[in-house]
Amino acid sequence: MTETTHMQTPPPGDGAKPRSPEFRLAADALQGLRQDLFHDAFVYRPLPRMRVDGPLTRRLPGRLREYAAWTPHAVITTVALLTLFIGSVDTDGPSLLVGPLCAIPILLTMARPVGAFWLSMAATPIVAVIGGAGEWPWMPGSLACHLTVLTVVALRTRPRTAAWMWGVTGAYGLLADAGGGSGYYGTNTGPMMVISTMVLLVVALWHIRRDARQEVTAQQTETAHERSRRTLLEERTTIARELHDVVAHHMSVVAIQAEAAPYRVENPPPELERAFATIRENAVAALTELRRVLGVVRAEDYEAPDAPQPTLADLDALLTNVRDTGLAVEKAVTGAVRELPPGVELSAYRIVQEALSNSLRHAPGASARVEIGYVLGGLGLRIVNGPPPAPALVKPSPGAGHGITGMRERVSMLNGEITAGRTEDGGYEVAVFLPVTTTTEDNS
């Protein structure tokens, strides 16, 4: 016996009081602040090198391309040196102390970005106090330092972190204006917040554009994979339909021959009649199952062709039709021509047909050659076309890339081998070997 325990929710007045939406919003905000600016604030996060596969950097020589990868580090170091100069010159305090306080946070952004922000916040009041009279609370060096730190850290983190940094910066400015600064010429918190807002908005737009581009790239990749899988399924469906006609014909012949065989023998023994009856029943059952399986992959509007499936004997008619379209193609046959299994004949015909179609689309005006080799272990095919003529009258019209996929499926189904690629003279070659097991090999 199984007992089921029902958990009942206590009424609102009996247990903890439900939190209001405002309370949950404030709690989530504080949680985000702690996670973005306090949790692992000084964790080591080195600045990665820049990618050099862009439209400009890929044209650089090898050594310069290696140096170009360090461009972000060089830019940050240059800005740090410039800030060091500003902090050392425009101050009434000790320049050997003020300058490094303005430059070190910028350099730290390359290793510990969030920690660099807190170091810049800590250095700002120190520079303001020891730097002498001037703008409050941001001295020229600390102003350049903090703006640079905000920009680099915002680029290296997410927009929410940038928003928290902007808020902390504004809170510090308000507290500094309210608590001190009477001996200074004026406050520059307002200009600081305006400039930092514009900078962080630009960085946020950059983040949005980058994320959108990555999402589009991911969707395009997924779409390409889906299209490839759909193409593969379509090719397999086409092959299944064609092989059905071939196999169904032979299974029908087996069933008819098994039914008629007892009548060709005078007074056949009962055992022979039962054997032929069993053969016929199995053939009919196999044919029924074959049609049922094919019905799963066959489209509703598919109509079986009236004509028999083509074989290599129909290749001359195919070449004649191809020549009429303007492709100069020749055929060469080596070895002893013999009848092959129907699946091999059909696949070989379709491979030659698709290869010549690719030649017409991709290399209009070129010449092609079809080589068929009957060898002991199977059938060899080689379809090669030359490069299109330089002053081509007809432009190439690339297809969807289904042709090579279909060839590979047919060859894989027959445990064959296929290679397809460009030739040295700019043409294209398809080489296929389809193994055929002979009767002698079966008996051995």
Side-chain angles (χ1 to χ4, degrees):
M1 179 179 297
T2 303
E3 296 183 357
T4 303
T5 304
H6 297 278
M7 301 296 296
Q8 296 182 353
T9 304
D14 295 343
K17 296 180 62 176
R19 304 298 185 180
S20 64
E22 293 80 3
F23 180 86
R24 290 197 297 269
L25 182 62
D28 293 341
L30 292 177
Q31 178 67 18
L33 174 62
R34 186 188 70 84
Q35 181 179 358
D36 291 342
L37 294 186
F38 292 96
H39 182 68
D40 291 336
F42 287 87
V43 67
Y44 181 65
R45 291 176 54 194
L47 179 66
R49 291 188 294 177
M50 185 181 69
R51 297 178 58 180
V52 292
D53 55 352
L56 296 179
T57 53
R58 70 163 61 105
R59 300 180 181 179
L60 297 175
R63 183 59 62 86
L64 289 180
R65 192 181 300 114
E66 295 179 2
Y67 292 154
W70 298 97
T71 300
H73 304 75
V75 172
I76 293 176
T77 303
T78 302
V79 175
L81 294 177
L82 181 61
T83 306
L84 175 66
F85 175 77
I86 295 174
S88 302
V89 172
D90 197 1
T91 181
D92 295 335
S95 59
L96 293 179
L97 180 61
V98 174
L101 284 176
C102 297
I104 291 176
I106 299 178
L107 296 175
L108 190 62
T109 58
M110 293 186 290
R112 309 179 192 277
V114 179
F117 166 75
W118 287 117
L119 182 60
S120 177
M121 291 297 305
T124 297
I126 299 176
V127 173
V129 171
I130 68 177
E135 294 290 338
W136 175 266
W138 313 94
M139 296 293 289
S142 60
L143 179 67
C145 169
H146 200 66
L147 284 175
T148 303
V149 169
L150 284 178
T151 303
V152 176
V153 177
L155 286 171
R156 297 199 59 194
T157 56
R158 51 184 175 177
R160 192 180 75 173
T161 305
W164 284 122
M165 291 190 302
W166 184 85
V168 172
T169 301
Y172 165 75
L174 294 177
L175 291 175
D177 291 343
S182 59
Y184 295 85
Y185 299 137
T187 177
N188 56 2
T189 299
M192 173 67 179
M193 299 307 296
V194 172
I195 297 174
S196 60
T197 300
M198 297 175 61
V199 171
L200 294 181
L201 282 177
V202 172
V203 174
L205 291 176
W206 177 82
H207 274 292
I208 293 173
R209 183 175 180 271
R210 185 196 61 177
D211 295 342
R213 190 189 323 171
Q214 291 178 350
E215 184 177 356
V216 170
T217 302
Q219 291 179 353
Q220 290 177 346
T221 303
E222 184 177 357
T223 302
H225 290 166
E226 290 294 335
R227 188 184 300 114
S228 177
R229 286 193 291 267
R230 185 171 63 251
T231 301
L232 192 62
L233 292 176
E234 290 175 355
E235 293 296 335
R236 289 179 177 177
T237 302
T238 302
I239 296 172
R241 292 168 181 169
E242 294 177 347
L243 289 181
H244 165 264
D245 299 326
V246 175
V247 177
H249 168 73
H250 289 278
M251 294 300 294
S252 301
V253 172
V254 170
I256 294 173
Q257 292 291 340
E259 184 177 7
Y263 299 99
R264 298 185 179 183
V265 179
E266 185 177 358
N267 298 324
E271 295 81 3
L272 183 61
E273 292 183 351
R274 287 196 299 269
F276 279 114
T278 302
I279 294 174
R280 181 183 182 280
E281 291 175 359
N282 290 333
V284 172
L287 186 58
T288 302
E289 291 297 327
L290 177 64
R291 288 171 178 168
R292 182 180 296 114
V293 172
L294 183 66
V296 177
V297 297
R298 172 175 288 168
E300 295 180 357
D301 56 349
Y302 173 76
E303 295 182 0
D306 297 332
Q309 294 293 344
T311 63
L312 290 177
D314 304 313
L315 200 56
D316 291 335
L318 172 64
L319 299 182
T320 301
N321 292 335
V322 171
R323 294 188 185 101
D324 292 339
T325 62
L327 180 65
V329 57
E330 59 179 0
K331 183 182 75 168
V333 180
T334 58
V337 179
R338 66 183 185 276
E339 184 177 357
L340 300 174
V344 176
E345 291 268 356
L346 173 61
S347 296
Y349 180 91
R350 294 302 188 197
I351 290 172
V352 174
Q353 183 183 38
E354 186 59 41
L356 294 178
S357 298
N358 288 342
S359 300
L360 287 172
R361 287 193 298 264
H362 296 275
S367 59
R369 178 179 175 85
V370 177
E371 299 178 0
I372 305 174
Y374 290 87
V375 296
L376 182 61
L379 177 71
L381 298 174
R382 181 175 179 268
I383 306 95
V384 59
N385 64 266
L393 300 178
V394 181
K395 294 183 179 181
S397 57
H402 296 184
I404 298 297
T405 303
M407 294 182 195
R408 295 189 187 280
E409 279 299 302
R410 294 181 183 276
V411 173
S412 176
M413 177 188 61
L414 298 173
N415 296 324
E417 298 178 359
I418 179 173
T419 57
R422 295 196 173 276
T423 58
E424 296 180 356
D425 60 353
Y428 202 85
E429 178 187 31
V430 176
V432 176
F433 177 76
L434 303 177
V436 177
T437 303
T438 61
T439 306
T440 305
E441 292 174 349
D442 290 339
N443 295 335
S444 61

